[in-house]
Amino acid sequence: MERYIKDNKITTSKPMTKEQMKQFAEYMEKGLDARGNPHEVIGSYNNAIKKMLPKGAAGTSSKMDDVLAAGRKYMKHRGFQSIAAAAVLSNVVGEVVAGEIKGLQVMADSSYYKNALAALQRGDIGKAQNLLTGDDSLYTEIITRVGATAALNFKRRIDEAFDAAQKRSYD
């Protein structure tokens, strides 16, 4: 649903239309993702529900309570939680990877990054760290252009690298 909302630019000021609601429901019923492509988890879930319905009942039940009861029964099935968790994780992992890629693209074009590298070459570690993770920095550029998750991941790794470098210089 989140992907469908994002792809169709649905907002509080531009709410989902009846046609979009119908299209999304049809996608789910047919085992498709938010873009209308086959989705393995949704499709297998739908097929499992259909197999659990009494013979001759598949596709004929018009009572929502029957459909919900079949769904609840399937959710108790041994492998359902693993399938559901895998579906959620695959979406999260995909978003993290996409954020990392976008973050790398921002870095490649960023004057903050180029200036931080120049500062490191001059030995000005404090300036470099400030250009990478300070108030007005590559970190804030990544927040603005990519998102908070990618920016926080970047900041954590940079801070760890600078902390490790400072510990080495004291040892």
Side-chain angles (χ1 to χ4, degrees):
M1 178 61 107
E2 289 174 357
R3 170 63 61 193
Y4 189 86
I5 288 170
K6 184 177 178 181
D7 287 353
N8 289 281
K9 298 174 177 58
I10 296 167
T11 64
T12 53
S13 59
K14 184 185 166 235
M16 182 182 269
T17 65
K18 290 179 185 179
E19 293 78 19
Q20 288 171 322
M21 286 181 204
K22 183 177 177 183
Q23 181 184 47
F24 181 77
E26 287 173 359
Y27 283 175
M28 295 300 103
E29 183 181 345
K30 293 176 181 175
L32 306 174
D33 66 13
R35 294 178 176 156
N37 299 314
H39 190 280
E40 185 178 326
V41 174
I42 297 170
S44 64
Y45 176 81
N46 288 352
N47 290 336
I49 294 291
K50 289 174 187 172
K51 287 178 186 175
M52 295 175 129
L53 291 173
K55 297 283 185 227
T60 60
S61 177
S62 59
K63 294 182 181 177
M64 184 55 79
D65 289 340
D66 293 342
V67 174
L68 292 173
R72 285 188 197 100
K73 184 176 177 183
Y74 181 67
M75 287 170 52
K76 292 177 185 174
H77 192 269
R78 193 166 54 92
F80 175 77
Q81 289 181 346
S82 295
I83 291 170
V88 169
L89 284 172
S90 68
N91 187 38
V92 170
V93 168
E95 288 180 14
V96 167
V97 170
E100 295 295 319
I101 291 168
K102 288 178 186 175
L104 290 171
Q105 291 168 339
V106 168
M107 266 195 284
D109 298 334
S110 174
S111 61
Y112 293 114
Y113 180 71
K114 293 171 187 165
N115 291 336
L117 288 180
L120 288 171
Q121 289 171 348
R122 292 189 310 272
D124 191 347
I125 294 172
K127 175 81 171 174
Q129 188 171 13
N130 190 49
L131 286 165
L132 293 172
T133 61
D135 290 336
D136 184 26
S137 65
L138 178 56
Y139 167 69
T140 55
E141 190 174 7
I142 294 172
I143 287 175
T144 305
R145 294 181 54 196
V146 181
T149 301
L152 290 170
N153 288 336
F154 166 78
K155 186 176 186 329
R156 179 183 47 81
R157 287 193 309 265
I158 294 299
D159 287 344
E160 287 171 357
F162 275 91
D163 288 345
Q166 287 176 348
K167 286 179 185 174
R168 273 189 240 125
S169 66
Y170 294 123
D171 290 345

